[in-house]
């Protein structure tokens, strides 16, 4: 199924129709749920689609298995412009460095301008063009300003990497409403603002790649990270739906989407201290290791990259299929105790 891409006018019309409201205007559905008669023409269409699925199922499945086992040809992104949010520190910095090694120009965007400047200089030392940019990704107007600044200094963005996030270990009963809203704005809403800002240009050029950094907590929920897990599950849903929308609008082989699920990354010391208090026995990876896996997935146009050791990838995949009781038994292997800990207040003050 291929649909024409939405135009800005169509989006404006839908917005007016859906979001305006007056008291008493609700109209209940009048559709006859008992259903009408299916015409012979309808039945022929259904039968044809079923036959088509049966014919194409095996070759399509084999093709996917071959790609999984043998890998796919890596594309070249040399000379393209990549924008990395949260690029000043931690995983964002490592992603910038790896993109530079692939020959990309890099726009380093961060709320910490000093860190962004430092990373940009490292990239220039590698021989690529790089510029630092100040942005608050949780603020839609700041993201729009970022778009203008990047295009004025470096040009049009080919690869958008939404990496910035708050690593706030926050239960639902902890933190102020402002804290919770800030986590949602930075970890989830920011992806909407950045994608909306840059995707139209990619659609016009019929070329682009959008990358989002989610988390293993976007696959496996953990009770001491309710707010964080909720936003990371949201990123997962956003990217899967966006991938399907590009396909439906005819951009399936031109604009690619990759969602990255890092495990436990040695970035912020507060988080490592928290894992120690939990008695966690989980593999800790360096930012460079995760960045290598993430960009390797981008070069292969993979929709999903679980940036963890192979056995953890398998466990994460199985976790979502198992009953809660089994999942909790597995969790006991990796976590000795789950104390009631306050959230990491300092983590709310920076994005990584």
């Amino acid at each position: 199924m291929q649909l024409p891409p939405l135009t800005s006018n169509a989006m404006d019309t839908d917005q007016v129709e859906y979001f305006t409201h007056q008291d008493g205007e609700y109209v209940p559905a009048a559709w006859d749920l008992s259903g009408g008669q299916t015409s012979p023409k309808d039945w022929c269409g259904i039968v044809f689609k079923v036959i088509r699925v049966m014919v194409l199922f095996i070759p399509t499945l084999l093709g996917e298995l071959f790609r999984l086992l043998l890998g796919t040809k890596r594309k070249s992104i040399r000379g393209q412009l990549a924008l990395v949010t949260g690029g000043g520190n931690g995983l964002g910095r490592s992603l910038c460095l790896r993109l530079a090694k692939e020959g990309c120009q890099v726009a380093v965007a961060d709320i910490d301008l000093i860190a962004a400047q430092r990373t940009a200089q490292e990239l220039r030392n590698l021989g690529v063009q790089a510029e630092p940019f100040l942005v608050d990704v949780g603020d839609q107007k700041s993201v729009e300003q970022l778009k203008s600044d990047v295009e004025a200094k470096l040009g049009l963005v080919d690869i958008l990497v939404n990496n910035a996030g708050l690593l706030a270990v926050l239960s639902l009963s902890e933190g102020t409403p402002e804290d919770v809203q800030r986590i949602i704005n930075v970890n989830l809403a920011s992806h909407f603002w950045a994608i909306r800002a840059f995707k139209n240009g990619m659609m016009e050029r019929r070329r682009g790649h959008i990358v989002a950094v989610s988390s293993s907590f976007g696959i496996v929920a953990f009770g001491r990270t309710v707010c964080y897990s909720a936003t990371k599950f949201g990123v997962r849903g956003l990217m899967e739906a966006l991938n399907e929308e590009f396909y439906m609008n005819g951009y399936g082989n031109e604009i690619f989407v990759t969602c990255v699920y890092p495990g436990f990354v040695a970035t912020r010391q507060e988080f490592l201290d928290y894992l120690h208090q939990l008695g966690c026995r989980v593999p800790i990876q360096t930012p460079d290791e995760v960045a290598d896996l993430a960009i390797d997935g981008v070069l292969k146009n993979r929709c999903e990259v679980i940036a963890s050791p192979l056995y953890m990838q398998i466990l994460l995949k199985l976790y979502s299929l198992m009953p809660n009781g089994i999942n909790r038994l597995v969790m006991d292997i990796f976590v000795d105790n789950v104390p009631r800990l306050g959230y990491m207040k300092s983590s709310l003050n920076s994005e990584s």
Side-chain angles (χ1 to χ4, degrees):
M1 178 175 59
Q2 181 170 315
L3 301 176
L6 289 175
T7 64
S8 58
N9 289 337
M11 292 174 68
D12 292 343
T13 301
D14 290 343
Q15 189 176 38
V16 170
E17 290 177 351
Y18 187 80
F19 287 103
T20 58
H21 175 76
Q22 292 181 355
D23 289 344
E25 71 176 2
Y26 180 85
V27 179
W31 184 34
D32 181 7
L33 298 180
S34 62
Q37 295 294 323
T38 303
S39 68
K41 183 178 179 180
D42 292 335
W43 278 114
C44 288
I46 293 171
V47 171
F48 173 77
K49 289 184 178 181
V50 170
I51 293 174
R52 180 176 180 272
V53 170
M54 293 173 64
V55 170
L56 296 178
F57 180 81
I58 296 299
T60 301
L61 179 61
L62 289 175
E64 292 295 329
L65 288 174
F66 280 130
R67 277 190 287 272
L68 181 64
L69 296 174
L70 302 178
T72 56
K73 183 179 179 181
R74 292 157 60 94
K75 67 181 181 182
S76 173
I77 56 176
R78 181 169 297 278
Q80 296 187 19
L81 174 58
L83 167 62
V84 181
T85 66
N89 299 290
L91 177 58
R93 171 184 169 275
S94 292
L95 288 167
C96 289
L97 290 169
R98 176 58 196 273
L99 286 164
K101 290 175 182 177
E102 294 295 330
C104 289
Q105 305 173 65
V106 184
V108 185
D110 207 298
I111 199 169
D112 182 349
L113 183 58
I114 294 175
Q117 292 170 336
R118 184 172 58 244
T119 298
Q121 186 57 54
E122 289 185 79
L123 302 180
R124 295 190 198 104
N125 293 340
L126 294 175
V128 302
Q129 187 175 7
E131 292 290 341
F133 296 92
L134 178 66
V135 67
D136 177 357
V137 295
D139 181 345
Q140 186 266 337
K141 291 183 179 179
S142 182
V143 174
E144 287 293 335
Q145 185 61 52
L146 172 66
K147 177 178 183 291
S148 299
D149 294 343
V150 171
E151 291 181 351
K153 280 195 173 184
L154 294 174
L156 301 175
V157 171
D158 300 296
I159 304 170
L160 170 64
V161 183
N162 286 319
N163 164 74
L166 293 174
L167 186 56
V169 182
L170 182 66
S171 176
L172 196 58
S173 58
E174 297 170 316
T176 66
E178 291 77 18
D179 290 337
V180 173
Q181 188 63 62
R182 180 64 177 163
I183 295 169
I184 294 171
N185 288 345
V186 173
N187 286 10
L188 179 57
S190 66
H191 290 255
F192 286 85
W193 309 146
I195 292 170
R196 284 169 64 101
F198 291 99
K199 76 177 180 66
N200 287 346
M202 295 180 182
M203 292 165 66
E204 290 171 5
R205 301 190 305 278
R206 305 194 75 88
R207 185 184 79 172
H209 204 128
I210 298 174
V211 184
V213 177
S214 179
S215 167
S216 58
F217 286 168
I219 300 174
V220 175
F222 187 60
R224 286 292 182 258
T225 64
V226 174
C227 296
Y228 182 78
S229 290
T231 58
K232 294 303 182 178
F233 267 88
V235 170
R236 175 184 176 183
L238 165 63
M239 296 301 283
E240 290 183 4
L242 181 65
N243 188 43
E244 292 307 305
E245 185 166 296
F246 280 138
Y247 169 75
M248 294 167 70
N249 287 340
Y251 298 98
N253 294 318
E254 297 165 331
I255 303 176
F256 299 93
V257 168
T258 299
C259 193
V260 182
Y261 301 92
F264 297 91
V265 189
T267 52
R268 298 190 64 83
Q269 185 59 46
E270 297 97 324
F271 185 60
L272 294 183
D273 292 342
Y274 178 77
L275 293 179
H276 178 71
Q277 292 180 60
L278 289 180
C280 282
R281 289 180 294 274
V282 292
I284 306 295
Q285 295 173 279
T286 67
D288 289 346
E289 289 173 332
V290 175
D292 285 343
L293 291 170
I295 302 305
D296 184 66
V298 169
L299 296 176
K300 295 177 180 178
N301 289 328
R302 292 177 55 189
C303 298
E304 176 185 87
V305 176
I306 299 178
S308 297
L310 181 59
Y311 76 93
M312 288 297 295
Q313 295 181 35
I314 295 171
L315 282 176
L316 288 169
K317 281 293 187 181
L318 291 176
Y319 197 94
S320 59
L321 302 175
M322 295 294 104
N324 277 352
I326 300 299
N327 289 341
R328 286 164 182 165
L329 286 175
V330 173
M331 185 69 74
D332 286 342
I333 297 174
F334 297 100
V335 182
D336 284 337
N337 56 81
V338 185
R340 174 173 173 77
L341 296 177
Y343 68 100
M344 298 185 298
K345 181 64 178 179
S346 61
S347 69
L348 290 171
N349 298 323
S350 63
E351 298 161 18
S352 59

